[in-house]
């Protein structure tokens, strides 16, 4: 099931005219583009002069959250130079009542993932390391990351039977085994969550939402888009929350890729304490554990499937890192 997105015919004529003026070319045609997991307005625009561009933003049917984060993303494109080597080119924005679109370089023809290869995953680690190094100097241009929704998920599972049951229901026939596992590890996981926000680790500019639907490879190099959540935060957050997506889609594991990222960063004198690795693994697992089993969101029909896909690898990595027993296998979810 696809997300409900507006058609190009829904876009007001005044906004189309603004695009033509901004790009100094008339529009030949445009099509809506699917990607991500929400009802964001996204279009590929074909100009009469032969160029194409990608337009994304908020419009008919967009959620309040789309409207809230859009100005934040636009500010990143406008003001943060460090993203230039790793993001699409930004051409500006257009707006009218009920609509606001960012105009970006079209990445049509670039390589999508999955399927992941080791070479692509390794390249992603190296390119993210370069971005993190360059972004440190501009970290003050964005807001500091909030701990809300990230550092209290295992705690909420201990305090709320409803949260606990959402998680355990993901195991179906293995529910009893999963409950025994949860009781055995919960008090180990809870105190590690709060370590995520400790200041005695490398902080800087982070993307904060790295998944396969937010990236492409162009000429063998990583390109990231959807910068709406960019903030100043622990650098390992970007990597740690990316690993479950990679492994869940058939790519290499965190254990294989993290040393590559750390080696790249060490060349610039940036090293990570052990607690930082443990904290981000625990928080990633807790984030997906408290979301994957909840009821579907109508406007985000594939979200729970994706969260469950990432939960398995996040739990595996966390338990392996901490020397804890592995949970039973999750019951499969259908991608509808």
């Amino acid at each position: 099931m696809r997300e409900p997105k507006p058609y190009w015919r829904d876009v007001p004529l005044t906004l189309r005219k603004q695009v033509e003026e901004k790009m100094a070319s008339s529009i030949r045609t445009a099509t809506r583009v699917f990607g991500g997991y929400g009802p964001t307005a996204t279009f590929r625009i074909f100009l009469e002069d032969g160029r194409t561009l990608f337009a994304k933003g908020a419009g008919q049917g967009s959620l309040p959250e789309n409207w809230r984060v859009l100005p934040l993303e636009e500010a990143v494109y406008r003001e943060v130079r460090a993203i230039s080597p790793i993001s699409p080119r930004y051409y500006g924005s257009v707006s009218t009542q009920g609509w606001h679109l960012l105009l970006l370089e079209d990445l049509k023809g670039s390589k999508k993932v999955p399927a992941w290869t080791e070479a692509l995953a390794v390249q992603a680690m190296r390119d993210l390391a370069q971005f993190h190094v360059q972004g440190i100097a501009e970290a003050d241009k964005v807001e500091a990351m909030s701990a809300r929704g990230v550092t209290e998920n295992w705690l909420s599972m201990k305090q709320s039977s409803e949260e606990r049951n959402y998680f355990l229901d993901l195991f179906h026939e293995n529910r009893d085994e999963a409950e025994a596992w949860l009781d055995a590890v919960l008090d180990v996981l809870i105190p590690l969550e709060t370590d995520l926000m400790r200041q005695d680790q490398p902080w800087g500019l982070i993307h904060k939402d790295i998944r396969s639907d937010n990236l492409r490879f162009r000429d063998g190099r990583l390109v990231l888009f959807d910068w709406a959540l960019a903030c100043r935060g622990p650098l390992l957050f970007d990597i740690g929350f990316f690993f479950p997506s990679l492994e869940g889609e058939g790519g290499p594991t965190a254990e294989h890729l993290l040393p590559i990222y750390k080696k790249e960063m060490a060349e610039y004198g940036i090293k990570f304490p052990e607690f930082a690795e443990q904290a981000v693994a625990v928080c990633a697992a807790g984030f997906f554990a408290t979301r994957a089993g909840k009821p579907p969101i109508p406007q985000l029909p594939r979200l729970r499937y994706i969260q469950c896909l990432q939960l398995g690898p996040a739990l595996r990595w966390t338990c392996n890192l901490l020397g804890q027993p592995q949970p039973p296998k999750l019951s499969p979810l259908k991608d509808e």
Side-chain angles (χ1 to χ4, degrees):
M1 181 182 298
R2 285 181 164 181
E3 295 70 32
K5 286 179 175 283
Y7 291 90
W8 179 248
R9 63 174 177 264
D10 300 320
V11 177
L13 182 60
T14 54
L15 199 69
R16 302 186 198 187
K17 293 294 185 184
Q18 288 182 41
V19 174
E20 293 179 332
E21 292 172 3
K22 180 80 67 174
M23 302 305 297
S25 176
S26 57
I27 297 172
R28 177 162 53 88
T29 187
T31 59
R32 64 176 177 168
V33 176
F34 285 92
Y37 309 113
T40 307
T42 47
F43 305 100
R44 176 167 288 113
I45 300 175
F46 299 82
L47 302 175
E48 287 289 0
D49 64 9
R51 291 177 296 163
T52 61
L53 66 148
F54 181 77
K56 65 158 293 186
Q60 181 176 307
S62 292
L63 300 172
E65 181 67 5
N66 296 138
W67 286 102
R68 185 188 72 81
V69 301
L70 188 58
L72 303 178
E73 180 171 15
E74 184 169 8
V76 173
Y77 275 115
R78 287 181 180 274
E79 300 170 14
V80 182
R81 295 187 302 274
I83 75 166
S84 296
I86 202 170
S87 70
R89 182 180 175 185
Y90 170 69
Y91 295 110
S93 67
V94 293
S95 62
T96 189
Q97 186 174 6
W99 288 83
H100 189 151
L101 297 179
L102 308 184
L103 305 179
L104 303 169
E105 175 188 3
D106 183 19
L107 296 176
K108 183 180 180 181
S110 58
K111 183 173 180 56
K112 295 182 180 181
V113 286
W116 283 101
T117 64
E118 180 173 350
L120 287 175
V122 168
Q123 186 64 49
M125 293 301 106
R126 291 172 175 162
D127 290 343
L128 285 173
Q130 289 295 317
F131 159 62
H132 283 161
V133 169
Q134 294 172 14
I136 289 174
E138 293 188 275
D140 288 338
K141 291 184 177 181
V142 292
E143 294 183 355
M145 175 179 160
S146 169
R148 184 179 179 183
V150 181
T151 62
E152 72 293 331
N153 291 304
W154 291 115
L155 178 61
S156 72
M157 203 175 295
K158 182 169 184 175
Q159 295 175 336
S160 168
S161 59
E162 183 179 36
E163 294 284 355
R164 180 185 179 93
N165 287 328
Y166 280 137
F167 173 68
L168 294 176
D169 286 347
L170 289 166
F171 294 88
H172 299 299
E173 65 272 12
N174 295 324
R175 194 182 195 281
D176 290 344
E177 186 181 348
E179 187 166 25
W181 172 85
L182 183 62
D183 289 336
V185 302
L186 199 51
D187 287 336
V188 175
L189 302 178
I190 289 171
L192 294 173
E193 286 186 299
T194 55
D195 284 344
L196 179 74
M197 302 298 287
R198 282 174 57 173
Q199 296 292 317
D200 54 339
Q201 64 174 309
W203 277 55
L205 176 67
I206 62 173
H207 180 280
K208 200 175 178 279
D209 196 23
I210 303 178
R211 306 184 309 263
S212 63
D213 60 298
N214 284 341
L215 63 87
R216 297 287 186 273
F217 287 90
R218 178 180 56 194
D219 299 326
R221 299 298 300 272
L222 180 68
V223 181
L224 291 176
F225 41 93
D226 284 0
W227 290 89
L229 301 183
C231 61
R232 184 173 70 259
L235 295 182
L236 277 185
F237 185 97
D238 266 351
I239 303 300
F241 273 68
F242 183 26
F243 288 148
S245 172
L246 264 165
E247 183 179 342
E249 293 174 336
T253 65
E255 290 87 347
H256 181 71
L257 294 174
L258 183 56
I260 296 170
Y261 170 80
K262 289 168 61 178
K263 181 180 178 181
E264 292 285 322
M265 298 296 282
E267 292 182 3
Y268 295 90
I270 300 173
K271 297 182 179 180
F272 299 91
E274 184 180 16
F275 79 80
E277 296 180 31
Q278 294 178 347
V280 74
V282 168
C283 286
F287 182 88
F288 298 119
T290 52
R291 288 161 174 79
K294 288 184 175 176
I297 302 172
Q299 290 180 295
L300 305 170
R302 293 182 297 137
L303 181 63
R304 300 305 185 209
Y305 168 80
I306 295 299
Q307 290 171 340
C308 192
L309 186 74
Q310 296 175 85
L311 173 58
L315 290 172
R316 185 207 59 76
W317 177 38
T318 296
C319 292
N320 190 43
L321 193 62
L322 300 179
Q324 294 296 314
Q326 292 287 336
K329 288 186 177 181
L330 293 158
S331 298
L333 287 182
K334 290 181 62 178
D335 182 6
E336 298 177 352

